[in-house]
Amino acid sequence: DAGVIQSPRHEVTEMGQEVTLRCKPISGHNSLFWYRQTMMRGLELLIYFNNNVPIDDSGMPEDRFSAKMPNASFSTLKIQPSEPRDSAVYFCASSFDASNQPQHFGDGTRLSIL
Amino acid sequence: AQSVTQLGSHVSVSEGALVLLRCNYSSSVPPYLFWYVQYPNQGLQLLLKYTTGATLVKGINGFEAEFKKSETSFHLTKPSAHMSDAAEYFCAVRKTGANNLFFGTGTRLTVIP
């Protein structure tokens, strides 16, 4: 079975550019999560969706970050404009809508902003 | 409020020795508990979970964890470490009825040949 699919795996771009990260959750999962992982701050939840609706975006660092989920099989995380401090690994995870169900993670996008 | 504390950001064990990674949680209600493993350049992979029932939970790769409510702990163990166990391990808690997970800061396990 296909797991959570993220693209691209690696992104290197210059500061000020727009960055779009993509995620395809596991089919049938109705909760989707975006995380950011850095050495300094560890794993941070940015935003999560339930049935394509954003439920909690309190972890989004600032207005430069936005996330959408236009349908059950696709989500994007956009950074515009990007800054060097946004460099991190960004993970997408999905799960069934039940608190006893685990989240399944993609392999992440390693983002470097020069 | 939910929180997870993992004691020891780095743990080293010899190959064949016992692995013990500690996790304590704080929760106002009995939570659901998870252990994840992260290998280099990969996402997090579920090792095991505790929801209800038996407090000793067995997971993949020979790992197990015991939920101890009186100690608010969910320590991860493996009787005999293998070189392939070298990775970062995360404990996570999820409140009943909630969707989001709260992760600990992780423990990096090194296995010495």
Side-chain angles (χ1 to χ4, degrees):
Chain A
D1 289 342
V4 175
I5 299 172
Q6 292 186 247
S7 64
R9 286 299 311 277
H10 303 273
E11 175 91 13
V12 181
T13 192
E14 294 185 347
M15 68 176 289
Q17 297 297 308
E18 178 179 293
V19 173
T20 299
L21 311 182
R22 297 171 176 79
C23 175
K24 177 178 169 55
I26 292 173
S27 178
H29 284 184
N30 53 0
S31 292
L32 183 139
F33 307 80
W34 282 101
Y35 291 90
R36 178 172 68 177
Q37 187 178 39
T38 61
M39 289 291 292
M40 292 297 294
R41 300 172 70 91
L43 200 61
E44 303 173 275
L45 176 65
L46 300 178
I47 185 171
Y48 77 90
F49 295 83
N50 196 36
N51 294 322
N52 311 338
V53 175
I55 302 300
D56 183 356
D57 65 354
S58 59
M60 296 286 262
E62 45 197 281
D63 292 345
R64 298 184 295 106
F65 285 70
S66 62
K68 293 182 180 179
M69 192 164 185
N71 58 62
S73 59
F74 184 65
S75 177
T76 59
L77 178 67
K78 186 174 292 186
I79 309 172
Q80 167 63 18
S82 57
E83 296 183 4
R85 60 193 168 118
D86 301 331
S87 298
V89 181
Y90 291 81
F91 289 104
C92 176
S94 70
S95 74
F96 290 110
D97 179 21
S99 52
N100 65 348
Q101 295 299 310
Q103 294 178 14
H104 297 262
F105 283 74
D107 285 335
T109 295
R110 184 173 296 276
L111 177 64
S112 297
I113 308 297
L114 307 177
Chain B
Q2 308 285 306
S3 72
V4 178
T5 302
Q6 290 185 242
L7 291 176
S9 58
H10 291 85
V11 170
S12 292
V13 300
S14 297
E15 190 175 15
L18 171 72
V19 176
L20 170 61
L21 304 182
R22 298 178 187 275
C23 173
N24 288 88
Y25 68 91
S26 66
S27 174
S28 57
V29 296
Y32 299 125
L33 296 157
F34 305 83
W35 274 100
Y36 284 84
V37 61
Q38 185 180 29
Y39 298 103
N41 300 315
Q42 294 186 26
L44 279 69
Q45 178 183 357
L46 180 70
L47 268 180
L48 49 80
K49 66 175 182 178
Y50 170 77
T51 54
T52 58
T55 55
L56 182 62
V57 180
K58 295 187 185 298
I60 61 172
N61 302 340
F63 284 93
E64 60 185 35
E66 187 170 10
F67 170 60
K68 292 187 177 180
K69 185 177 177 181
S70 60
E71 299 177 7
T72 60
S73 69
F74 191 55
H75 302 330
L76 182 71
T77 60
K78 181 174 180 177
S80 177
H82 192 272
M83 296 298 294
S84 61
D85 295 327
E88 186 142 20
Y89 292 80
F90 293 90
C91 181
V93 60
R94 197 177 206 179
K95 183 178 159 184
T96 308
N99 268 343
N100 52 321
L101 279 173
F102 292 88
F103 282 90
T105 51
T107 298
R108 184 168 299 277
L109 176 67
T110 300
V111 182
I112 303 166

mmCIF file of all heavy atoms in Angstrom, chain A residues 6 9 21 35-38 42-43 86-91 107-111, chain B residues 38 41-42:
data_model
loop_
_atom_site.group_PDB
_atom_site.id
_atom_site.type_symbol
_atom_site.label_atom_id
_atom_site.label_comp_id
_atom_site.label_asym_id
_atom_site.label_seq_id
_atom_site.Cartn_x
_atom_site.Cartn_y
_atom_site.Cartn_z
ATOM 1 N N GLN A 6 5.218 12.687 -0.276
ATOM 2 C CA GLN A 6 5.566 14.105 -0.272
ATOM 3 C C GLN A 6 6.480 14.425 -1.439
ATOM 4 O O GLN A 6 7.321 13.615 -1.836
ATOM 5 C CB GLN A 6 6.287 14.487 1.023
ATOM 6 C CG GLN A 6 5.408 14.429 2.252
ATOM 7 C CD GLN A 6 6.121 14.960 3.483
ATOM 8 O OE1 GLN A 6 6.409 14.215 4.426
ATOM 9 N NE2 GLN A 6 6.432 16.248 3.479
ATOM 10 N N ARG A 9 11.403 15.871 -2.535
ATOM 11 C CA ARG A 9 12.156 15.360 -1.387
ATOM 12 C C ARG A 9 13.176 16.389 -0.906
ATOM 13 O O ARG A 9 13.465 16.490 0.280
ATOM 14 C CB ARG A 9 12.878 14.060 -1.738
ATOM 15 C CG ARG A 9 11.991 12.830 -1.864
ATOM 16 C CD ARG A 9 11.262 12.486 -0.560
ATOM 17 N NE ARG A 9 12.115 12.444 0.608
ATOM 18 C CZ ARG A 9 12.853 11.404 0.979
ATOM 19 N NH1 ARG A 9 12.855 10.307 0.257
ATOM 20 N NH2 ARG A 9 13.589 11.452 2.082
ATOM 21 N N LEU A 21 5.271 23.015 -1.013
ATOM 22 C CA LEU A 21 5.478 21.618 -0.659
ATOM 23 C C LEU A 21 4.152 20.891 -0.823
ATOM 24 O O LEU A 21 3.094 21.431 -0.501
ATOM 25 C CB LEU A 21 5.966 21.503 0.790
ATOM 26 C CG LEU A 21 7.123 22.413 1.194
ATOM 27 C CD1 LEU A 21 7.529 22.166 2.634
ATOM 28 C CD2 LEU A 21 8.308 22.243 0.260
ATOM 29 N N TYR A 35 4.133 19.102 9.775
ATOM 30 C CA TYR A 35 5.104 19.321 10.828
ATOM 31 C C TYR A 35 6.380 19.928 10.246
ATOM 32 O O TYR A 35 6.685 19.759 9.072
ATOM 33 C CB TYR A 35 5.502 17.990 11.485
ATOM 34 C CG TYR A 35 4.450 17.315 12.313
ATOM 35 C CD1 TYR A 35 3.565 16.408 11.732
ATOM 36 C CD2 TYR A 35 4.351 17.546 13.683
ATOM 37 C CE1 TYR A 35 2.599 15.762 12.509
ATOM 38 C CE2 TYR A 35 3.399 16.904 14.448
ATOM 39 C CZ TYR A 35 2.534 16.020 13.862
ATOM 40 O OH TYR A 35 1.584 15.369 14.628
ATOM 41 N N ARG A 36 7.131 20.586 11.107
ATOM 42 C CA ARG A 36 8.457 21.075 10.751
ATOM 43 C C ARG A 36 9.444 20.528 11.780
ATOM 44 O O ARG A 36 9.164 20.545 12.983
ATOM 45 C CB ARG A 36 8.472 22.610 10.758
ATOM 46 C CG ARG A 36 9.807 23.223 10.447
ATOM 47 C CD ARG A 36 9.711 24.723 10.280
ATOM 48 N NE ARG A 36 9.392 25.426 11.507
ATOM 49 C CZ ARG A 36 9.315 26.752 11.605
ATOM 50 N NH1 ARG A 36 9.537 27.495 10.532
ATOM 51 N NH2 ARG A 36 9.015 27.323 12.749
ATOM 52 N N GLN A 37 10.576 20.056 11.303
ATOM 53 C CA GLN A 37 11.595 19.506 12.195
ATOM 54 C C GLN A 37 12.910 20.236 12.001
ATOM 55 O O GLN A 37 13.444 20.308 10.898
ATOM 56 C CB GLN A 37 11.787 18.008 11.948
ATOM 57 C CG GLN A 37 12.719 17.339 12.964
ATOM 58 C CD GLN A 37 12.852 15.845 12.728
ATOM 59 O OE1 GLN A 37 12.911 15.380 11.596
ATOM 60 N NE2 GLN A 37 12.881 15.076 13.811
ATOM 61 N N THR A 38 13.444 20.773 13.093
ATOM 62 C CA THR A 38 14.766 21.407 13.089
ATOM 63 C C THR A 38 15.549 20.910 14.291
ATOM 64 O O THR A 38 14.966 20.398 15.255
ATOM 65 C CB THR A 38 14.660 22.946 13.171
ATOM 66 O OG1 THR A 38 14.006 23.293 14.408
ATOM 67 C CG2 THR A 38 13.867 23.516 12.017
ATOM 68 N N GLY A 42 13.149 20.877 17.345
ATOM 69 C CA GLY A 42 12.552 19.552 17.297
ATOM 70 C C GLY A 42 11.403 19.489 16.318
ATOM 71 O O GLY A 42 11.397 20.188 15.305
ATOM 72 N N LEU A 43 10.405 18.692 16.649
ATOM 73 C CA LEU A 43 9.260 18.455 15.773
ATOM 74 C C LEU A 43 8.121 19.370 16.210
ATOM 75 O O LEU A 43 7.644 19.284 17.335
ATOM 76 C CB LEU A 43 8.861 16.995 15.896
ATOM 77 C CG LEU A 43 8.032 16.350 14.804
ATOM 78 C CD1 LEU A 43 8.778 16.385 13.490
ATOM 79 C CD2 LEU A 43 7.737 14.913 15.176
ATOM 80 N N ASP A 86 13.645 29.486 7.491
ATOM 81 C CA ASP A 86 12.628 28.487 7.165
ATOM 82 C C ASP A 86 13.254 27.140 6.794
ATOM 83 O O ASP A 86 12.537 26.151 6.609
ATOM 84 C CB ASP A 86 11.766 28.958 5.994
ATOM 85 C CG ASP A 86 11.067 30.284 6.277
ATOM 86 O OD1 ASP A 86 10.773 30.562 7.457
ATOM 87 O OD2 ASP A 86 10.844 31.042 5.306
ATOM 88 N N SER A 87 14.566 27.115 6.677
ATOM 89 C CA SER A 87 15.258 25.873 6.328
ATOM 90 C C SER A 87 14.982 24.824 7.404
ATOM 91 O O SER A 87 15.199 25.059 8.595
ATOM 92 C CB SER A 87 16.762 26.112 6.199
ATOM 93 O OG SER A 87 17.024 27.038 5.167
ATOM 94 N N ALA A 88 14.498 23.666 6.972
ATOM 95 C CA ALA A 88 14.076 22.612 7.903
ATOM 96 C C ALA A 88 13.645 21.408 7.073
ATOM 97 O O ALA A 88 13.638 21.457 5.836
ATOM 98 C CB ALA A 88 12.899 23.083 8.765
ATOM 99 N N VAL A 89 13.269 20.350 7.759
ATOM 100 C CA VAL A 89 12.595 19.236 7.098
ATOM 101 C C VAL A 89 11.110 19.345 7.442
ATOM 102 O O VAL A 89 10.745 19.464 8.610
ATOM 103 C CB VAL A 89 13.144 17.870 7.553
ATOM 104 C CG1 VAL A 89 12.426 16.750 6.807
ATOM 105 C CG2 VAL A 89 14.649 17.784 7.320
ATOM 106 N N TYR A 90 10.299 19.324 6.414
ATOM 107 C CA TYR A 90 8.850 19.455 6.587
ATOM 108 C C TYR A 90 8.205 18.096 6.332
ATOM 109 O O TYR A 90 8.424 17.471 5.299
ATOM 110 C CB TYR A 90 8.288 20.506 5.626
ATOM 111 C CG TYR A 90 8.721 21.904 5.994
ATOM 112 C CD1 TYR A 90 9.976 22.380 5.627
ATOM 113 C CD2 TYR A 90 7.895 22.736 6.732
ATOM 114 C CE1 TYR A 90 10.398 23.656 5.996
ATOM 115 C CE2 TYR A 90 8.297 24.018 7.101
ATOM 116 C CZ TYR A 90 9.548 24.462 6.727
ATOM 117 O OH TYR A 90 9.953 25.729 7.091
ATOM 118 N N PHE A 91 7.422 17.657 7.300
ATOM 119 C CA PHE A 91 6.759 16.371 7.198
ATOM 120 C C PHE A 91 5.259 16.558 7.084
ATOM 121 O O PHE A 91 4.669 17.431 7.724
ATOM 122 C CB PHE A 91 7.037 15.503 8.435
ATOM 123 C CG PHE A 91 8.435 14.986 8.514
ATOM 124 C CD1 PHE A 91 9.359 15.547 9.377
ATOM 125 C CD2 PHE A 91 8.834 13.915 7.728
ATOM 126 C CE1 PHE A 91 10.656 15.070 9.455
ATOM 127 C CE2 PHE A 91 10.130 13.428 7.800
ATOM 128 C CZ PHE A 91 11.039 14.004 8.659
ATOM 129 N N ASP A 107 8.125 10.819 3.979
ATOM 130 C CA ASP A 107 9.576 10.874 4.145
ATOM 131 C C ASP A 107 10.110 12.297 4.267
ATOM 132 O O ASP A 107 11.308 12.490 4.473
ATOM 133 C CB ASP A 107 10.273 10.153 2.991
ATOM 134 C CG ASP A 107 10.175 8.641 3.123
ATOM 135 O OD1 ASP A 107 10.009 8.157 4.263
ATOM 136 O OD2 ASP A 107 10.275 7.952 2.094
ATOM 137 N N GLY A 108 9.244 13.283 4.114
ATOM 138 C CA GLY A 108 9.642 14.658 4.356
ATOM 139 C C GLY A 108 10.219 15.354 3.145
ATOM 140 O O GLY A 108 10.629 14.726 2.157
ATOM 141 N N THR A 109 10.213 16.685 3.227
ATOM 142 C CA THR A 109 10.876 17.535 2.246
ATOM 143 C C THR A 109 11.965 18.305 2.979
ATOM 144 O O THR A 109 11.669 19.031 3.935
ATOM 145 C CB THR A 109 9.894 18.534 1.603
ATOM 146 O OG1 THR A 109 8.915 17.827 0.862
ATOM 147 C CG2 THR A 109 10.637 19.519 0.711
ATOM 148 N N ARG A 110 13.188 18.133 2.527
ATOM 149 C CA ARG A 110 14.303 18.878 3.125
ATOM 150 C C ARG A 110 14.437 20.191 2.383
ATOM 151 O O ARG A 110 14.780 20.200 1.198
ATOM 152 C CB ARG A 110 15.583 18.069 3.051
ATOM 153 C CG ARG A 110 16.777 18.748 3.740
ATOM 154 C CD ARG A 110 17.989 17.821 3.790
ATOM 155 N NE ARG A 110 17.735 16.638 4.604
ATOM 156 C CZ ARG A 110 17.867 16.583 5.916
ATOM 157 N NH1 ARG A 110 18.282 17.657 6.581
ATOM 158 N NH2 ARG A 110 17.626 15.468 6.561
ATOM 159 N N LEU A 111 14.148 21.280 3.067
ATOM 160 C CA LEU A 111 14.128 22.607 2.452
ATOM 161 C C LEU A 111 15.331 23.417 2.905
ATOM 162 O O LEU A 111 15.579 23.537 4.107
ATOM 163 C CB LEU A 111 12.837 23.335 2.843
ATOM 164 C CG LEU A 111 12.660 24.760 2.344
ATOM 165 C CD1 LEU A 111 12.592 24.798 0.822
ATOM 166 C CD2 LEU A 111 11.419 25.399 2.955
ATOM 167 N N GLN B 38 12.746 7.176 13.965
ATOM 168 C CA GLN B 38 13.135 7.910 12.766
ATOM 169 C C GLN B 38 14.557 7.540 12.382
ATOM 170 O O GLN B 38 15.503 7.804 13.133
ATOM 171 C CB GLN B 38 13.020 9.420 12.980
ATOM 172 C CG GLN B 38 13.303 10.236 11.725
ATOM 173 C CD GLN B 38 13.183 11.731 11.943
ATOM 174 O OE1 GLN B 38 13.406 12.245 13.034
ATOM 175 N NE2 GLN B 38 12.823 12.454 10.883
ATOM 176 N N ASN B 41 17.238 10.576 7.318
ATOM 177 C CA ASN B 41 16.616 10.987 6.055
ATOM 178 C C ASN B 41 15.286 10.294 5.772
ATOM 179 O O ASN B 41 14.909 10.128 4.609
ATOM 180 C CB ASN B 41 17.579 10.748 4.881
ATOM 181 C CG ASN B 41 18.852 11.533 5.048
ATOM 182 O OD1 ASN B 41 18.831 12.712 5.390
ATOM 183 N ND2 ASN B 41 19.983 10.874 4.839
ATOM 184 N N GLN B 42 14.612 9.894 6.829
ATOM 185 C CA GLN B 42 13.310 9.275 6.664
ATOM 186 C C GLN B 42 12.298 9.928 7.585
ATOM 187 O O GLN B 42 12.651 10.675 8.500
ATOM 188 C CB GLN B 42 13.367 7.770 6.952
ATOM 189 C CG GLN B 42 14.201 6.984 5.965
ATOM 190 C CD GLN B 42 14.110 5.489 6.218
ATOM 191 O OE1 GLN B 42 13.130 4.984 6.774
ATOM 192 N NE2 GLN B 42 15.141 4.773 5.804
#
